[in-house]
Amino acid sequence: MTVHDELGTALRELEATMKAASLWRMERPEPDAFRSVQPFCIDTMTLPQWLRFVFIVRLEALVESRSPMPATCDVAPAVDAWLQQEGARASDRLLMCKVVEEIDRLVTEN
């Protein structure tokens, strides 16, 4: 299995985990929201919106095109901080962080 295949599997797992944690169903941000220059589009989107409409979409495009991975990926700390701030259930935090840590690892180590 290639890193692209592993990343594709991890992205599907992130989607499933977000759905299980009730973090998937949301409105698509307005087009202007995607023009943010802030990390994670924090000024224009919630973190789950960014994960769903930016992070997953961009990484899926890399998987489909078999493109080189970015040099680093370190999203898990932001996910953990956001979930903690929002008072998410401990089990949801644990599962979300675990899958995002795996995505971070796959991207950074390849």
Side-chain angles (χ1 to χ4, degrees):
M1 182 180 279
T2 70
V3 66
H4 291 93
D5 296 330
E6 289 181 62
L7 183 56
T9 299
L11 291 170
R12 287 188 296 280
E13 187 177 336
L14 175 56
E15 179 180 340
T17 303
M18 288 180 70
K19 286 177 179 178
S22 299
L23 296 171
W24 188 257
R25 296 185 122 208
M26 66 192 75
E27 301 246 344
R28 180 176 179 78
E30 295 295 322
D32 284 346
F34 292 89
R35 294 186 188 101
S36 171
V37 295
Q38 297 296 314
F40 313 109
C41 297
I42 199 72
D43 59 334
T44 60
M45 297 182 196
T46 65
L47 191 69
Q49 282 178 314
W50 179 82
L51 285 170
R52 179 173 178 186
F53 296 108
V54 178
F55 185 67
I56 292 173
V57 170
R58 287 183 182 168
L59 290 180
E60 283 178 338
L62 287 177
V63 168
E64 287 180 27
S65 65
R66 301 292 199 217
S67 296
M69 297 291 164
T72 62
C73 188
D74 193 24
V75 175
V79 170
D80 187 44
W82 188 87
L83 290 169
Q84 189 170 357
Q85 175 186 334
E86 294 297 310
R89 291 186 320 225
S91 59
D92 289 340
R93 263 182 69 204
L94 179 67
L95 292 172
M96 283 287 295
C97 289
K98 183 180 175 191
V99 70
V100 176
E101 286 169 358
E102 176 64 4
I103 292 168
D104 287 347
R105 184 192 69 74
L106 286 168
V107 171
T108 301
E109 291 181 3
N110 292 283

